[in-house]
Amino acid sequence: MIPYGRQHLDEDDVKAVVETLTSNWLTQGPATPKFETALADYCGANFGIAVNSATSALHIACLALGVSEGDRVWTSPNSFVASSNCALYCGAKVDFVDIDLHTGNMCVDALRNKLALAESTNALPKVVIPVHFAGQPCDMKEIRALSKQYGFFVIEDASHAVGAKYQEKFVGSCEFSDICVFSFHPVKIITTMEGGMALTNNSEWAEKMRMLRSHGITNDPEKMTEDSHGPWYYQQIALGFNYRMTDVEAALGLSQLQKLPGFLEKRNTLAAHYDKLFASIERVCPLSQNDGIYSSYHLYVIRVLDINESEHEVLVSQLRSAGIFAHVHYIPIHTQPFYRELGFNWGDYPNAETYYHQAISLPLFPELTEVEVNQVVNQLVQLVEKL
């Protein structure tokens, strides 16, 4: 079975993990701050805060920006549920902005129109979370301009996009956002097994996220409410969480980071090969890539046009039966039972729903070969022609 995604680990990764396992530190040691600094430097940001998942990073990012009960947070319906759940954890209300059917990303025109309507009803969001779906950055310059016009914060959900570039700058530089979040799940671009990181250029938000990831505790005398009792003393000054990344995970992340340029080059080469093979297939439409971006290609997604829901299901099942683990990213968040209980319904975001019924994620990972890509494309085209 050819998977849709798979981590790439080598002897250097194993050595880095073993060295940490046999050191004096398994967690809260030197590897985590080294990884934070290395990735922040790579992306061009001032601060990195490593945590145990991108979900945790999104949560503390919202908290750092002051999201609380009564606030509104908007994100894309075409994402994993963590992109919106993070706001609910804070007691905020969630809403969605429909996508551009051709890219899978948040549609700037839809955002602009929704903001104008929200302003007229005094219902503007405190935070907007654009999702860089499949590794392609959203139109962040336009989103940033709207954030300044309407007064909201921007958190980039870049779980798919470590190493991607927008207007010649790495995603994570926070040039057009307040905080940017990455994921290091095994099927992502680089892995720490599980893990995530929030990047920002704001020292106050960085410090707050560091405190929140570790129970809301500080041992900094300047932040305490009374004089220290001694070198052992700490205070809990906020309700935080146990969201820390281990040093073992960080050591793997540092090793993986050295390979990131090679991973990206291979993913882009394979995506270009897919594009070439699909160029003459009328019913198969790869997601469009906007100008001025460099995608990390976490996923390679195609839309099969003029297909009904039953045919969509059959096509994915037949690909899997043929040894190709095709998948669908994502079920629109607003259609999940939990979100329907909050008042959302099928029909609320037509582009996201149309996309969902047409989309198929095809295998893409560094060890995939062009021969296997040929196999995937030939099998898909044969099956589509029989529909």
Side-chain angles (χ1 to χ4, degrees):
M1 178 75 76
I2 304 174
Y4 83 84
R6 184 170 63 202
Q7 69 273 13
H8 174 90
L9 300 175
D10 61 19
E11 291 183 3
D12 290 336
D13 298 319
V14 174
K15 180 180 178 182
V17 169
V18 170
E19 285 179 352
T20 304
L21 283 171
T22 55
S23 74
N24 292 326
W25 297 95
L26 297 183
T27 189
Q28 295 181 267
T32 299
K34 285 181 181 178
F35 182 40
E36 291 172 331
T37 298
L39 187 57
D41 288 347
Y42 185 97
C43 295
N46 290 339
F47 308 101
I49 301 88
V51 288
N52 59 3
S53 72
T55 303
S56 299
L58 286 166
H59 184 196
I60 62 174
C62 285
L63 290 172
L65 297 177
V67 174
S68 61
E69 187 173 354
D71 290 328
R72 294 174 175 84
V73 175
W74 296 357
T75 189
S76 169
N78 183 35
S79 185
F80 187 58
V81 293
S83 300
S84 53
N85 286 350
C86 60
L88 298 179
Y89 299 154
C90 303
K93 296 179 180 179
V94 169
D95 205 350
F96 301 96
V97 180
D98 210 353
I99 65 169
D100 181 330
L101 189 59
H102 302 289
T103 65
N105 279 340
M106 182 180 287
C107 175
V108 172
D109 288 337
L111 176 60
R112 185 179 292 109
N113 294 337
K114 193 177 183 82
L115 286 166
L117 178 61
E119 184 179 43
S120 70
T121 58
N122 196 30
L124 286 168
K126 183 163 190 171
V127 174
V128 172
I129 305 177
V131 178
H132 300 324
F133 178 68
Q136 176 176 194
C138 296
D139 191 349
M140 292 307 302
K141 185 176 181 180
E142 291 298 318
I143 292 172
R144 190 53 159 177
L146 289 170
S147 79
K148 292 179 179 179
Q149 180 180 350
Y150 289 98
F152 58 83
F153 295 110
V154 178
I155 299 173
E156 295 175 81
D157 185 341
S159 295
H160 295 184
V162 63
K165 290 183 179 180
Y166 175 80
Q167 295 193 353
E168 304 301 322
K169 294 191 176 182
F170 281 109
V171 169
S173 69
C174 297
E175 176 76 13
F176 301 103
S177 67
D178 299 291
I179 300 173
C180 180
V181 168
F182 291 131
S183 170
F184 310 124
H185 183 276
V187 297
K188 297 302 197 302
I189 310 301
I190 61 173
T191 185
T192 59
M193 295 180 282
E194 290 281 0
M197 192 179 297
L199 273 63
T200 185
N201 293 321
N202 184 293
S203 59
E204 181 180 344
W205 297 336
E207 183 59 31
K208 187 168 184 178
M209 286 189 284
R210 287 193 192 99
M211 182 180 62
L212 288 170
R213 75 175 170 185
S214 189
H215 304 281
I217 284 172
T218 184
N219 56 12
D220 183 348
E222 294 186 2
K223 294 181 173 60
M224 294 182 183
T225 60
E226 60 184 58
D227 291 340
S228 173
H229 299 178
W232 66 87
Y233 192 60
Y234 62 84
Q235 287 186 343
Q236 181 186 349
I237 59 176
L239 182 60
F241 311 88
N242 186 0
Y243 283 172
R244 295 186 297 261
M245 175 179 282
T246 69
D247 263 35
V248 176
E249 292 169 322
L252 178 57
L254 277 165
S255 179
Q256 287 267 295
L257 186 57
Q258 305 305 311
K259 306 173 184 65
L260 178 56
F263 289 166
L264 295 170
E265 182 178 1
K266 186 63 184 293
R267 286 176 177 274
N268 273 267
T269 297
L270 291 168
H273 190 57
Y274 267 124
D275 287 345
K276 181 180 178 180
L277 296 175
F278 282 131
S280 61
I281 311 300
E282 292 184 0
R283 290 188 65 188
V284 177
C285 181
L287 290 184
S288 300
Q289 300 297 309
N290 287 329
D291 294 336
I293 65 100
Y294 177 71
S295 177
S296 59
Y297 274 109
H298 164 54
L299 301 171
Y300 187 87
V301 181
I302 55 99
R303 292 165 49 224
V304 181
L305 307 181
D306 301 319
I307 191 173
N308 61 41
E309 294 176 33
S310 176
E311 291 171 333
H312 187 223
E313 180 183 2
V314 167
L315 184 53
V316 172
S317 297
Q318 288 178 333
L319 284 167
R320 291 188 180 189
S321 295
I324 299 164
F325 194 88
H327 206 38
V328 176
H329 296 84
Y330 286 100
I331 306 164
I333 299 173
H334 69 282
T335 69
Q336 295 288 352
F338 176 82
Y339 279 86
R340 294 208 302 273
E341 289 181 4
L342 297 179
F344 296 100
N345 291 290
W346 284 98
D348 288 348
Y349 304 97
N351 280 359
E353 294 168 28
T354 296
Y355 162 85
Y356 168 60
H357 292 307
Q358 297 176 339
I360 301 177
S361 297
L362 300 178
L364 184 64
F365 50 92
E367 292 178 342
L368 188 70
T369 67
E370 290 194 357
V371 171
E372 289 173 316
V373 171
N374 294 342
Q375 177 186 341
V376 171
V377 172
N378 290 337
Q379 187 68 53
L380 175 65
V381 171
Q382 290 177 29
L383 292 172
V384 169
E385 290 175 348
K386 294 178 181 178
L387 292 178

